[in-house]
Amino acid sequence: MEKVCVLGAGSTKYGKLDDSITDITIQASIGAIESAGIDPKEIQAGYISNVFGVADKQVHLGPVVMSNLGIPEKPSLSIESACGSGSVSFREAFANVAAGFYDAVLVAGTEKVTHTGTEWTTTYFSYCSDFFYEGGAGASFPGLFASMARAYLNEFKATEEDLAAVAVKNHENGLLNPKAHLRKKISIDDVMKSAVVASPLKLYDCCPFSDGASAVILCSEKFAKEHSKNYVNVIGSGRGGSPATLQGRDHMTTIPSTKLAAQAAYKMAGITAKDIDFAEVHDCFTIAEVVDTEDLGFFEKGTGVQAVREGRTARNGDIPINPSGGLKAKGHPIGATGVGQVVEVFEQLTGKAGERTVKDAKIGLTHNFGATGASCAVHIFQGV
Amino acid sequence: MEKVCVLGAGSTKYGKLDDSITDITIQASIGAIESAGIDPKEIQAGYISNVFGVADKQVHLGPVVMSNLGIPEKPSLSIESACGSGSVSFREAFANVAAGFYDAVLVAGTEKVTHTGTEWTTTYFSYCSDFFYEGGAGASFPGLFASMARAYLNEFKATEEDLAAVAVKNHENGLLNPKAHLRKKISIDDVMKSAVVASPLKLYDCCPFSDGASAVILCSEKFAKEHSKNYVNVIGSGRGGSPATLQGRDHMTTIPSTKLAAQAAYKMAGITAKDIDFAEVHDCFTIAEVVDTEDLGFFEKGTGVQAVREGRTARNGDIPINPSGGLKAKGHPIGATGVGQVVEVFEQLTGKAGERTVKDAKIGLTHNFGATGASCAVHIFQGV
């Protein structure tokens, strides 16, 4: 098994973008190629993650991207796992490089949906649930995560203000991220007074619909060493699944796929949650970040909100969560999100995170799931 | 590198189906599981290929399928490469099993689109081209393949009747396939008199829009030997790309990605085109089959039509092409097609192809591409 490294990373701004899905994917890819300092011709395959190419009238994105990069002969494919598409695509690319099928590949995630409007996005996003049981019954994702939030508030010593604190923290981080969608400082009071979307979740508990693209160059250790002294090692990779519907699970306050993916990633890396210096986790709603940090093993079940209250997950805390701003403030272009998390970890571990740098960070983790966590991938990275 | 085997295969009928995309995918998967004689719990991951889940309001199909099979904890993902999705997904599953990440995986391809009507399908399918240059300019796939056909007729000694002969042959094969969409004997005259779709292609030169799902169980040789004596070895796997647009290519009568994928697959298998006993190739239009058989190395460029005229590609010829009926007659449920080709090869090489059995076949090849061949995968199989 080859050691696998992240050699370069690039990203568009997340938010409401005017360029086409093809254009933003190429912009992010060129950013990654320039960051890696390689010739595009050294790329041997392209892994694209995307969910709703139909929104911008372009599916089968791989060949379009590869052709625009001047390497049409190289194989490519698109991978979809709802909001977890980016990390699942990253995992496939990782597996292929680890197995020695490729020395260097492009992993690019992308989404362009904001031009379709909220009705289209809410409707189409609900196709990512088990639509027969959930979306078709009127349960869109804010409703499903609201059910999880209500269960959490009932089961543990937590308040709506505790959830709001997650949003406040992530907005603070996003303010330092020039590529974030929502760069706006907010207060607990702002969150509490924002419009109710699905009680107990309010507008500021929810991540936005975003456009955006992120890309990384993934390669063998040999290839990395030949090109750079400042790359990042992928030391753990894990995947897992959960029952597709919330109603099919034993508990509403934990996501089984996160635990399975994390266990596998920690095992591969030969470390435990205690060794992680910071993490980018899937905070599509504030409740998700709390549940994630417990399922990943950073905190005991039911104590995630306590950790937020104590500032432990802040950028200067003992386990900073979402220094990029997370899905909540950085934004959530669904096919790009998981790759964007890797971009953040790469920048953190190679000294390129500027003002939002997590001090003395050596090991970072990414956690990204699809739907209410039906699919999940966790990766662990270490600087050189 | 582990040796990889196909242990079981299942498929729905192809055609206009009433059941949901979820249901047909599960039906095919259960067929594959029963054919393999395994317990679903032995499956370690699910590779789903699908293009337009939005048509039936279900994307993120993996967890829905795995949950319905009683294995929600197992990871899954969806792969899209337009009409080549099935073979590209098969390739990813192959790579993961070859690398030792999994011992046994489910590979299921699926599509449900006929209920949307021809306008929807023609429009959405055009999103699989480079839409900025092709679909958006009014060039749908019949038009693009018509351009290839016109170039071929101009460049080589070939007639429209030669192309029609491909359709006649594949309909003859489809007549023997109980799961084929179009089970109807046709004559050269029928093809020539059918409505012009995009000159020189007429209705019977075109494959239909189909619903359908196909699935196989892919596993390590060790796993295969523990479960069966009648499985099939995957001895070659190759991928390649072409410029996304037809106008970006040097020639209109060859598909570069086919040549690249075939070269890689032959190299891995340590054989040449001469060693192939039969092949399932991507005949979305009659011209495609002719071009494919030349690019795969079965015939010299420009002589593919001669081979059809001489009956060499018929089921009892020296290199039978599309004994299943091909996309042309068996049908083309786009996300399922590449997996369906593997189902046919499995049945041929394990003595389960009934009336359409290719005599003395030991080595079979599958060839499946996306759009006008922008993405392609070729696989080679050998019976035990």
Side-chain angles (χ1 to χ4, degrees):
Chain A
M1 202 64 69
E2 297 284 330
K3 284 190 182 176
V4 184
C5 309
V6 183
L7 185 62
S11 197
T12 66
K13 190 177 176 342
Y14 284 6
K16 192 163 173 48
L17 303 182
D18 292 329
D19 289 342
S20 72
I21 189 167
T22 299
D23 287 346
I24 62 174
T25 314
I26 294 164
Q27 289 159 15
S29 300
I30 290 174
I33 289 166
E34 290 181 346
S35 158
I38 62 169
D39 186 310
K41 294 198 188 311
E42 295 180 273
I43 294 170
Q44 294 173 332
Y47 284 77
I48 312 294
S49 47
N50 174 245
V51 184
F52 293 116
V54 294
D56 209 32
K57 299 183 178 173
Q58 187 64 64
V59 293
H60 202 208
L61 264 161
V64 177
V65 171
M66 302 306 265
S67 294
N68 275 284
L69 293 175
I71 46 172
E73 71 281 8
K74 303 297 171 65
S76 59
L77 74 167
S78 292
I79 286 177
E80 179 267 312
S81 276
C83 304
S85 299
S87 60
V88 169
S89 176
F90 183 87
R91 157 69 181 204
E92 283 301 307
F94 167 83
N96 274 271
V97 175
F101 283 107
Y102 304 120
D103 298 316
V105 301
L106 169 70
V107 184
T110 188
E111 209 70 48
K112 177 78 193 290
V113 292
T114 65
H115 61 291
T116 60
T118 303
E119 188 180 333
W120 192 99
T121 32
T122 301
T123 304
Y124 275 65
F125 279 36
S126 76
Y127 299 166
C128 295
S129 68
D130 185 331
F131 192 79
F132 183 81
Y133 292 105
E134 294 184 329
S140 63
F141 285 115
L144 292 166
F145 280 93
S147 300
M148 293 173 70
R150 185 60 70 197
Y152 192 97
L153 296 180
N154 283 341
E155 197 168 342
F156 304 113
K157 285 181 185 168
T159 66
E160 295 186 34
E161 285 80 358
D162 288 332
L163 298 180
V166 173
V168 171
K169 168 186 72 72
N170 288 351
H171 273 255
E172 268 175 25
N173 292 342
L175 206 56
L176 301 179
N177 187 344
K179 296 200 167 156
H181 187 171
L182 304 176
R183 303 189 70 190
K184 178 183 175 182
K185 193 172 166 65
I186 58 171
S187 66
I188 299 273
D189 204 42
D190 290 332
V191 182
M192 295 302 291
K193 285 182 178 162
S194 64
V196 173
V197 172
S199 175
L201 300 179
K202 293 160 288 289
L203 183 64
Y204 280 131
D205 285 297
C206 310
C207 74
F209 293 124
S210 310
D211 304 324
S214 294
V216 298
I217 301 295
L218 205 60
C219 66
S220 66
E221 188 179 41
K222 181 168 178 288
F223 187 95
K225 286 188 172 176
E226 286 167 3
H227 288 78
S228 175
K229 284 178 180 166
N230 200 16
Y231 56 88
V232 167
N233 290 310
V234 188
I235 60 170
S237 172
R239 290 219 50 206
S242 304
T245 60
L246 270 192
Q247 63 195 288
R249 302 181 194 170
D250 294 334
H251 301 286
M252 298 274 279
T253 54
T254 184
I255 294 177
S257 62
T258 297
K259 290 187 171 182
L260 291 167
Q263 282 162 11
Y266 289 140
K267 187 180 173 193
M268 187 185 288
I271 64 172
T272 71
K274 288 189 179 21
D275 299 305
I276 303 296
D277 292 321
F278 72 99
E280 289 282 309
V281 310
H282 197 87
D283 61 325
C284 47
F285 299 90
T286 49
I287 179 63
E289 178 170 313
V290 174
V291 169
D292 297 343
T293 55
E294 296 171 355
D295 288 338
L296 289 165
F298 299 143
F299 312 117
E300 292 291 311
K301 185 50 64 188
T303 68
V305 289
Q306 177 69 20
V308 178
R309 260 182 242 143
E310 293 169 357
R312 296 181 60 192
T313 61
R315 213 175 53 263
N316 59 359
D318 63 291
I319 173 73
I321 301 294
N322 287 323
S324 72
L327 285 62
K328 179 67 204 75
K330 182 186 178 194
H332 185 24
I334 54 176
T337 292
V339 183
Q341 292 178 328
V342 180
V343 173
E344 176 68 14
V345 170
F346 176 82
E347 294 186 347
Q348 289 284 352
L349 296 178
T350 55
K352 296 170 182 165
E355 285 188 281
R356 64 184 192 287
T357 298
V358 175
K359 211 176 156 195
D360 299 329
K362 299 284 185 295
I363 297 181
L365 175 148
T366 60
H367 162 267
N368 174 220
F369 63 63
T372 50
S375 58
C376 182
V378 168
H379 287 91
I380 303 173
F381 304 83
Q382 187 166 29
V384 293
Chain B
M1 201 66 68
E2 297 283 331
K3 285 192 182 175
V4 183
C5 311
V6 183
L7 185 62
S11 198
T12 66
K13 190 178 175 342
Y14 284 7
K16 192 163 174 49
L17 304 181
D18 292 329
D19 289 342
S20 73
I21 189 167
T22 300
D23 287 345
I24 63 174
T25 314
I26 295 163
Q27 288 158 17
S29 301
I30 291 175
I33 290 165
E34 290 181 346
S35 158
I38 63 170
D39 187 310
K41 294 198 187 310
E42 295 180 271
I43 294 169
Q44 294 172 333
Y47 285 77
I48 312 294
S49 47
N50 175 245
V51 184
F52 293 116
V54 294
D56 209 34
K57 299 183 178 175
Q58 186 65 64
V59 294
H60 201 209
L61 264 161
V64 177
V65 171
M66 303 306 264
S67 293
N68 274 283
L69 293 176
I71 46 173
E73 71 281 7
K74 303 298 171 65
S76 59
L77 74 166
S78 291
I79 287 178
E80 180 268 312
S81 275
C83 304
S85 300
S87 60
V88 170
S89 176
F90 183 86
R91 158 69 181 205
E92 283 302 307
F94 167 83
N96 274 271
V97 175
F101 283 107
Y102 303 119
D103 299 315
V105 301
L106 169 71
V107 184
T110 187
E111 209 69 49
K112 177 79 193 287
V113 291
T114 64
H115 62 290
T116 61
T118 303
E119 188 181 332
W120 191 99
T121 34
T122 301
T123 304
Y124 275 65
F125 279 36
S126 76
Y127 300 166
C128 295
S129 69
D130 186 331
F131 192 79
F132 183 81
Y133 292 106
E134 294 184 329
S140 62
F141 285 114
L144 292 165
F145 280 93
S147 301
M148 294 174 70
R150 185 60 72 197
Y152 192 97
L153 297 180
N154 284 340
E155 196 169 341
F156 303 112
K157 285 181 184 166
T159 65
E160 294 186 35
E161 284 81 358
D162 288 332
L163 298 180
V166 173
V168 170
K169 168 186 70 73
N170 288 351
H171 273 254
E172 268 175 25
N173 291 342
L175 207 55
L176 301 180
N177 187 344
K179 296 200 167 157
H181 187 171
L182 304 177
R183 304 189 70 191
K184 178 184 174 181
K185 193 172 168 63
I186 58 170
S187 66
I188 300 274
D189 203 44
D190 289 333
V191 182
M192 295 302 291
K193 286 182 178 162
S194 64
V196 173
V197 173
S199 176
L201 300 179
K202 294 161 284 291
L203 183 65
Y204 280 130
D205 285 297
C206 311
C207 74
F209 293 124
S210 309
D211 304 324
S214 295
V216 297
I217 301 296
L218 205 60
C219 65
S220 66
E221 188 179 41
K222 181 168 178 285
F223 187 95
K225 285 187 172 178
E226 286 168 1
H227 287 79
S228 174
K229 285 178 179 167
N230 199 16
Y231 56 88
V232 166
N233 290 309
V234 188
I235 60 172
S237 172
R239 289 220 49 206
S242 306
T245 61
L246 270 192
Q247 63 194 291
R249 302 181 194 171
D250 294 334
H251 300 287
M252 297 276 277
T253 54
T254 184
I255 294 176
S257 62
T258 296
K259 289 186 170 181
L260 292 166
Q263 281 162 12
Y266 290 140
K267 187 179 173 192
M268 187 185 288
I271 64 172
T272 71
K274 287 188 181 22
D275 299 306
I276 303 297
D277 293 321
F278 73 100
E280 289 283 309
V281 310
H282 198 87
D283 60 325
C284 47
F285 299 90
T286 50
I287 179 64
E289 177 169 313
V290 174
V291 169
D292 297 343
T293 55
E294 296 171 356
D295 289 338
L296 289 166
F298 300 143
F299 313 117
E300 291 293 311
K301 185 51 64 188
T303 68
V305 288
Q306 178 69 22
V308 178
R309 259 182 243 143
E310 294 169 356
R312 295 182 61 192
T313 60
R315 211 174 55 263
N316 58 359
D318 62 288
I319 173 73
I321 301 294
N322 286 324
S324 72
L327 285 62
K328 179 66 204 74
K330 183 187 177 191
H332 184 25
I334 55 177
T337 292
V339 184
Q341 293 179 328
V342 180
V343 173
E344 177 68 13
V345 171
F346 176 83
E347 294 187 346
Q348 288 284 353
L349 296 177
T350 56
K352 294 171 183 167
E355 284 187 281
R356 64 185 192 286
T357 298
V358 174
K359 211 177 155 194
D360 298 330
K362 299 282 185 295
I363 297 182
L365 176 149
T366 60
H367 161 266
N368 174 220
F369 62 63
T372 51
S375 58
C376 183
V378 168
H379 287 91
I380 303 173
F381 304 83
Q382 187 166 29
V384 293

